Structures are given as C-alpha cells and as structure tokens.
Amino acid sequence: MAQSAGEFGQESLRVRSGEVVSGRYLVTVAGADGSDVQPCPPEHWPEPQLWAAQAARPGTRAGLGPGLGPSPAVGPLALGAGPGDLPLLDREAEVAQLLGMLAEGRSIRLVGEPGSGRSALLSAVAEGAGELAPHGVVRLSGHRREADDLLQDLFAATHRAPGFRPDHAQLPDLLATVGAIVVIDEVLPDGAELERLLAAAPECAFLLTVAPGSGGVLPAGSRLEDHLVGGLSRPACLALTARLAGRPLDEAERAWAVDLWFESEGLPLRFVQAAALLRRRDTAVDALLAAEEDHHEVFGRPEGDEQPSDPAIREAELRGSVPLPSVAQTAAPAVHLVEGLGEGARAVLRLAVALGGECPTAPHLPALIDVDHGESALRELVDCGLAESIGGHHRLTAGVLEALAPQWEHDASSTLGAAQHFSWWVGHGSVTTGQIAAEAEVVLGALQADRDAGRTDAVLSLARSAAPALALALRWGAWREVLELGLAVARETGDGREEAWFQHELGVYWFCLDARERARAAVEAAGALRTALGEVRALAVTRRLLTLLQEVERPRAVTEAPTQVIRRPVIRALAERSWRTAAHPGRGVKGAIGHLGTVRGWSRRSVLLAVCGLFALGAVGTAVGIGVSGGAGDSGGQPGGTGTSGAVLPGAPTTGATGSASASASATASGSASDPASDQASASPSASDTATGTASASASPTRPRGTASATTARPSATGTTPGTPSQPAPTTPGQPAPTTTPPVVPPTPTWRPSQPPSPSPSPSSASPTSPTSSPTDTTSPSGSASASGPSGPAAPSSH
C-alpha cells in the first residue's frame, strides 16, 4: 500500500482554489501565479450570525453549534481510568471547586507537570459546565496554534460565517456578545498574546491548560487565575494501577507501586505506563503457564505434583518468578514498552517519531505504512500511555519522542511516499477543509521529515498543494509555516520560480495580517524575481498586490486647520489701529504696519490691505474736511455740531485722537446736513446740528484731557466757551459766505459745580468715561453726553 502512494506524480497534482474574506479584503486563493487580494465587493461581504444556544443534555457536549472543535480526548490517559471509561479518580473536590469558580465568571489556567492529568481534569470540568453559561461550552484545541488561530477557531465555533476571517478590528465586536465557557487544551500563547485572547471575548469564562514550555507568570491585572494540578494520592494511584492492570495487586506489586508513587510524586501518566508494564509481565506469566501446560501434555505430570484447585494460585507462583521493573525502567518506560507492542502499533509509533511526534489519523495509515487496522494500533499506543488524542488526531505523550528519537532518527524509510500521499489528499474534491485543518500538524511533520531526508522535490510539491488548502481551511498559522518551509527549500535548490511563488504568498499572508513592512519586503522580493525570470502574467499579479499595498500605506491628506476668523467690524478695527498709530507719533507708518503685523490671525496680505485702507480713508477724510471747512455746512465749533470734532463711527472708541476715519465720517454727515439742495427740506440748521451732535456723543466716550487731537488746528472745534456765540469762519475771496446759524443758549445746569455729576441713567451713555474728564461735562436732558469736547457746553435737546 505504501508503494501505491508514489503513483501520484507531479502531473496528477491538483491544487485547491477558492475565495475567503479576510477583514475588508477578498482573497482569491489560486494556484499557478499566486493569490490575489482586492477590496471586498458588497456582494461578497459576509453576515456573521451567532449560533442559537442549545440546551445541554447529560452526557453530551453543550455549545453553540457544530464548530465546537475536536472531540474530547479518549483513552485511559485522558480519562484517568482504564478500559471501560471509568470515572476520574481523586479529582471530585477539584472538579467542584473549578465549576464554582467558572459559575462566578472567573477564568482559570491549569498548571502542573507534564503527565499530571491536566487534560483529564479539563475534560471532566467541561462535561459538567454545560449549564453555567448562556451559550454553553466551546471546546478548542490549542496544540501548535497561535493566538490568531485560536481567535479564529473561537469565532468559527460561535458564528455561522464560512470562509470569513475577521481582522483585529472586527473580532472584538463579533465576540462581545458571546457568553460561553471556553475550554482550550494546550494553549501555546503566553503573556501579552494570551491577554489579547482573553480581552477579545470579555463575556466568556476561560478554562485553559498550557503547553509544555509555556505558562509563565501572569501579568498584573490578568483575568486568569492559576490552579496547580498536582499528583494523585497514594490510594488513588494504587487503585488506578489495579484498574488498568485488570486485577488486584499482590503485596510485592503494591510495594513496588508505593515506591513509584514516592518517586513520581503521584503523576497519573507514570502509573498508566506502570500498569502497561504490569500487563506485559502478566503476558510473560501467561506464556510460562502455557508452556507448562504443553509440557505436561507431552511428557505428563511428575508423580507427587498435585494441581492446585485454583489456577490463580499457580499463576501467582509463576508471577513471583518474573521480576518487577526497576525504578530506572519505570522512570523511562518507553523503550521497554516498545518491546511488548504488536507489529502494527510499532510501525505507527515509528512513523509518529519520524513525523515529529504527530500520529496521522487511522484512514491514512494503510496508505502510509503496511497496517490494515489503524484504529487498533492507535488504541494500543493509547493504552500503553505512549500516545494521546488531541486536536482531532493523536500525538506522542511527554518524554516518548525524546526517548525513542535517538534509536530511529536515521530511519527515513518510514516517511517515504508520505509527502506524495498528502499532496494528492489535500487536493482531492471529497476532502473537506475541516479534515485538512485537523491534519495540519501531520502535514507539517511530513514536510520537515522529507526536508531532513533530502527529498526536496517532494517538499516543494507538498508545500505548493498544501498551502492553498490550509489558507482556505483558515489554518493560517500552519499556512505560514508551510510557506516558510517551501521558501527555505526553494532557496536551497536555487529554484527562482518557486521562490518567487512562496514570497508572493507570504506577502499576501502578511498583508492580510496588517504587517505592512513584512508584506512589502516579501512582495518586492517576489516582483524582483519574476522580473528577472520574465514571467509577465505572474508579475502582473504581484504588481497588483504591490499597488494595493502602496494605496493602503499612502498617508491620508492632512487638511490644514482653518484660520480663525476674528468677526469684528473692519472699519472699527481700522479706527482702533489708526488711533494707536496717532498715540505713538514716533512710529509712523512703519509703527502702524508693525503693530498690525502682531495681531493674531492677520496675514501679510491683511496687513497691507489694512494700511491701504488707512491711507484711503485718510485721503478721503482730508478732502472732505477741506471742502466742509470752506462750505456752508461748517458749524464753526457749535457745541454738538458737525465740525471736525463731530461724531465718530458708531461703536468705535474715541480716545486721544479720533483719526481720519472719525473726521471723514463726521464731515460727511455734516456736509450732507448742510447741503444747499437740502436746505429747503430741513426744518432748521440748528436741528440738524443738534441731531448730529447728539448721535456723536451717544456713540463715543468723552475724550480725556491733554490728549493730542488731529483737528486742534481749527479753533471752531475746541475754542468755544459756554455762553459765547460761535463766530463764522472767515471767507475766502471768490467763495460764497458761509451760512451762519443763530447762537444756541445752553440750558441752565440743574446741579451745583461743587457737586460731582450724577451718572446718566440712559443706556445710550454706557460708554466709559476717562478718569481725567472735566467736571464741567454735563448731560443733556435726554441722557446723552455732549460731544463738544472737555470744555464745551451741553447741546440743547432737539425735543
């Protein structure tokens, strides 16, 4: 049968192809040119649905759905008993304690020595925890699985979404609503990776056992609590040995078992193997009895030799003649147990050692080795404590591989044809992806064995066929290991085409896991090799992947923060800047530009526009002021009039100097009120002047004393005293005489000069008054302040 596997050559090799969704991308797993990645179209986007919770029945597994992972371990090692699936011994109190902790929502990590029965205890607790969580129990295998694989297995066991592998951003949302008891045997991740696994399912309680070599100190604040699994008590070890041996122990055997209990500290695995040694001793005793019976039948019984009535008595006498195994033999029993195995079990054991400790499932054994009944051979290994069931297949127990590898390490004939068989098997249409995922460790063992044996063609053939199958089975940790093994062998043989293919596939793997630096390095290496080889079609696939990687790595356009807009009236701001320039004559235009440049939010263009605005307003104000001073609209210093010290712009503060903007606006208003064309329509010039003065006063605060004014050269603005009529402005030859207004008699003050002025109750005079203002300032009867300057009288009310 082993020779028939070689009939499947490279020409009959079939490579699986299909599509899976990884995060936000659709991965097309093809064959010849490599896989292709593109953003997932809407029609391919999966809709994961949580499996409906099923009621737990006694004696059955409870959980969410069919994706609960591998079946429980079988055999005496896993059950802690013997043939007939006897109950677990000496663990009732621990099982009850662990169930109570899980009922409180606490997560537990079982730690202990290899062979201490952690897997058996884990299985017993899982059987009794079906009613503790709303979604039951989810059983997973952590054997040679990374944290990403365990998260994917947990998602697949709780959701209905075939062919979908969520990324790190999607998993927390999908697993947030899962409330189950998650039981994982042989967890390999440790530290931060293990904490990430726990954080992805916050509503689940975890029960874990750690793989050999892991199980470090838990970080501070971890959800896990360590529970030490020790050995069994002495009575339990003696009872376990007797049950597995199939008979009660005699005095010598009990003493021998007690010595073994002291030496092994009660590890159950040691007593499973010790019971196998006792059964082997019983086989020798049975052989002596059979030989004695044959001798008596041929030569007859000697005279005086009486046959005991109970055959067990004679059996016990012969058993005493067969020595018990020594302590050294029981400490490393694998070598001695091999001698008592059958031919089929020994061939399976030799194959498992060649595959790195992994045993193929029973259907593969007839094609790999000359074994007709693979199930019986595996059962014999389990009964002897040399193998155990985990993850859907069998593997060697702790210490067996290390004990037997030196004897069989140079035997490469046991794996001959294994790579060709698995290359054909993973591409067969009747094989499901779940079966491929269960045999992933065996495929990896076959690849490593053929590489050690120098069969590079078989390694490349199996790697090319197994990599797409494992990718479609969503066993991406094994997928990466297969790609790395194939890449190493391709480099050793100098096959550039195969090396480019493996590099491209590794780029797809790292891209889907968002490891962009590794993905870029692998894709660029694949592109360089395919360019040198002139593979146009394959190069196009690699370039598409590189383009997508560049688009993902391209930083997003950073939009500049919008400049803060100061929402202030432009003219008011310009008037304020103008006054500040006038208050510091030494600055001049440069000072004004420098001051405007320090305003927050002002750009150079804004500063230039402001300066031009100042010049324009100054020019307009000068022209209007000259025209008004010679025209008929000049009030000649009338209190409250519209001369050069008239009204400023509404809302603009008037301090020191009113500026060109204030003078221009006041002159314009005065000129328009005194226009000869509007003399007929106006009621009286004094009414217009009074109105203008009142508006000016109500819109600006009183000017402090001693402040330089831009219009002090005109005596009509500040040279008027109370009770003195204003003099008309001198006329220029050739110009018409200005229109004179009758003198306005100021109202009699209602307060004595020695008393301070009372504040105005009107809201129109809310502008602050300088502390240095003259005590002669008065308020009009309407409540508005006078605009005639520090020494000017109050303007009469227009009412």
Side-chain angles (χ1 to χ4, degrees):
M1 297 291 296
Q3 301 299 327
S4 62
E7 298 176 0
F8 300 98
Q10 182 69 24
E11 62 278 359
S12 62
L13 180 64
R14 293 183 56 189
V15 178
R16 285 179 177 259
S17 62
E19 294 179 346
V20 294
V21 178
S22 174
R24 298 177 290 110
Y25 300 100
L26 177 65
V27 182
T28 303
V29 181
D33 300 326
S35 303
D36 195 9
V37 184
Q38 61 178 332
C40 185
E43 61 271 13
H44 288 81
W45 190 253
E47 297 181 359
Q49 297 179 0
L50 189 66
W51 288 102
Q54 299 177 354
R57 299 190 304 271
T60 61
R61 293 185 297 158
L64 292 174
L68 295 177
S71 60
V74 295
L77 173 62
L79 298 176
D85 296 339
L86 296 177
L88 195 65
L89 298 177
D90 202 27
R91 300 292 190 188
E92 294 82 2
E94 283 187 275
V95 171
Q97 179 186 0
L98 294 175
L99 288 176
M101 297 173 66
L102 291 175
E104 297 175 358
R106 298 156 67 179
S107 297
I108 311 161
R109 185 176 70 167
L110 303 179
V111 295
E113 294 293 330
S116 60
R118 293 169 300 168
S119 299
L121 181 61
L122 185 82
S123 178
V125 175
E127 291 294 333
E131 298 290 343
L132 299 182
H135 293 154
V137 178
V138 177
R139 283 182 158 182
L140 305 176
S141 173
H143 179 53
R144 298 182 67 173
R145 285 170 172 83
E146 301 175 350
D148 292 334
D149 288 336
L150 289 176
L151 286 174
Q152 173 61 30
D153 291 344
L154 178 58
F155 168 76
T158 56
H159 289 78
R160 187 184 293 107
F164 177 46
R165 184 182 177 92
D167 57 16
H168 294 168
Q170 297 168 342
L171 272 174
D173 295 336
L174 295 172
L175 299 178
T177 58
V178 177
I181 304 295
V182 182
V183 179
I184 309 178
D185 195 12
E186 294 262 340
V187 174
L188 182 62
D190 207 349
E193 289 294 315
L194 182 59
E195 295 301 320
R196 183 169 66 89
L197 172 64
L198 300 178
E203 299 299 327
C204 294
F206 288 82
L207 179 63
L208 314 174
T209 63
V210 296
S214 60
V217 180
L218 293 174
S222 176
R223 291 175 52 191
L224 285 175
E225 303 178 31
D226 281 341
H227 180 84
L228 179 61
V229 179
L232 300 177
S233 62
R234 184 171 66 178
C237 290
L238 295 177
L240 176 62
T241 307
R243 288 184 179 183
L244 293 179
R247 59 174 178 81
L249 303 180
D250 56 20
E251 293 298 329
E253 291 172 341
R254 289 179 63 87
W256 173 76
V258 170
D259 293 340
L260 179 61
W261 179 78
F262 278 107
E263 187 271 332
S264 64
E265 298 181 355
L267 296 181
L269 176 62
R270 300 287 300 277
F271 288 91
V272 172
Q273 296 171 343
L277 291 176
L278 291 180
R279 292 197 302 269
R280 177 187 169 188
R281 182 169 177 254
D282 290 342
T283 303
V285 172
D286 293 340
L288 290 178
L289 283 174
E292 188 177 78
E293 290 294 334
D294 293 340
H295 180 78
H296 290 166
E297 290 180 359
V298 173
F299 301 99
R301 290 183 178 273
E303 296 181 1
D305 186 9
E306 298 181 357
Q307 182 71 20
S309 59
D310 188 1
I313 298 177
R314 181 56 181 169
E315 183 180 351
E317 293 176 356
L318 292 177
R319 187 179 296 113
S321 63
V322 178
L324 287 168
S326 64
V327 177
Q329 290 176 339
T330 56
V335 178
H336 303 282
L337 289 173
V338 171
E339 299 175 1
L341 295 177
E343 292 297 329
R346 185 178 300 182
V348 173
L349 182 61
R350 186 183 296 270
L351 176 62
V353 171
L355 295 179
E358 306 294 339
C359 299
T361 54
H364 294 284
L365 295 179
L368 297 175
I369 53 179
D370 192 10
V371 174
D372 295 333
H373 303 285
E375 294 87 351
S376 300
L378 290 173
R379 183 68 184 185
E380 185 177 355
L381 293 178
V382 172
D383 290 342
C384 293
L386 298 177
E388 61 181 346
S389 176
I390 184 172
H393 69 286
H394 290 78
R395 67 162 185 183
L396 301 182
T397 55
V400 176
L401 180 64
E402 292 78 8
L404 299 179
Q407 298 182 6
W408 295 336
E409 62 180 353
H410 300 294
D411 184 11
S413 60
S414 58
T415 59
L416 183 62
Q420 294 179 352
H421 165 73
F422 283 111
S423 298
W424 165 82
W425 179 75
V426 297
H428 200 277
S430 63
V431 181
T432 64
T433 57
Q435 292 173 328
I436 296 175
E439 298 285 351
E441 291 79 18
V442 180
V443 172
L444 288 171
L447 284 171
Q448 188 63 49
D450 280 358
R451 183 187 179 186
D452 296 339
R455 296 188 284 265
T456 57
D457 293 340
V459 172
L460 294 177
S461 175
L462 178 57
R464 285 291 300 266
S465 60
L470 292 173
L472 294 173
L474 298 180
R475 280 296 309 273
W476 282 17
W479 180 32
R480 175 183 57 80
E481 293 186 38
V482 169
L483 293 176
E484 291 176 348
L485 276 173
L487 178 62
V489 173
R491 286 175 175 173
E492 292 173 1
T493 58
D495 193 338
R497 179 171 300 178
E498 296 294 335
E499 182 180 355
W501 189 88
F502 287 113
Q503 286 280 21
H504 176 87
E505 293 298 295
L506 281 173
V508 173
Y509 170 81
W510 292 119
F511 176 81
C512 293
L513 265 65
D514 202 19
R516 299 176 183 174
E517 294 297 331
R518 293 186 176 183
R520 171 176 288 277
V523 174
E524 289 179 350
L529 289 171
R530 288 179 169 177
T531 301
L533 295 173
E535 297 182 348
V536 179
R537 189 179 63 179
L539 181 60
V541 178
T542 303
R543 285 180 175 176
R544 283 199 302 269
L545 180 59
L546 184 60
T547 302
L548 181 60
L549 180 61
Q550 292 173 351
E551 292 178 357
V552 173
E553 290 181 341
R554 185 177 303 156
R556 297 180 179 179
V558 180
T559 58
E560 184 179 357
T563 305
Q564 182 180 2
V565 179
I566 303 177
R567 299 184 177 277
R568 299 179 59 189
V570 179
I571 298 181
R572 182 188 304 177
L574 294 179
E576 183 178 356
R577 306 301 187 275
S578 157
W579 169 80
R580 292 178 181 176
T581 305
H584 301 278
R587 292 185 179 179
V589 177
K590 293 182 179 180
I593 296 176
H595 178 72
L596 289 175
T598 60
V599 179
R600 182 179 299 176
W602 284 66
S603 61
R604 182 178 300 176
R605 179 180 180 184
S606 302
V607 172
L608 294 178
L609 290 176
V611 172
C612 294
L614 287 175
F615 279 114
L617 289 177
V620 174
T622 302
V624 174
I626 293 175
V628 171
S629 63
D634 193 358
S635 61
Q638 178 67 28
T642 57
T644 56
S645 62
V648 297
L649 293 176
T654 305
T655 57
T658 58
S660 59
S662 176
S664 172
S666 177
T668 305
S670 176
S672 61
S674 305
D675 191 356
S678 62
D679 287 343
Q680 302 296 331
S682 61
S684 63
S686 62
S688 175
D689 297 340
T690 304
T692 308
T694 304
S696 173
S698 62
S700 61
T702 306
R703 184 186 307 126
R705 291 176 181 268
T707 307
S709 176
T711 57
T712 53
R714 301 187 62 184
S716 61
T718 58
T720 308
T721 58
T724 304
S726 61
Q727 300 295 330
T731 60
T732 306
Q735 293 183 355
T739 305
T740 60
T741 59
V744 180
V745 180
T748 303
T750 59
W751 49 275
R752 293 189 299 273
S754 60
Q755 297 178 353
S758 59
S760 173
S762 175
S764 61
S765 60
S767 302
T769 305
S770 175
T772 59
S773 60
S774 173
T776 59
D777 294 343
T778 61
T779 58
S780 63
S782 61
S784 58
S786 174
S788 60
S791 59
S797 174
S798 60
H799 302 289

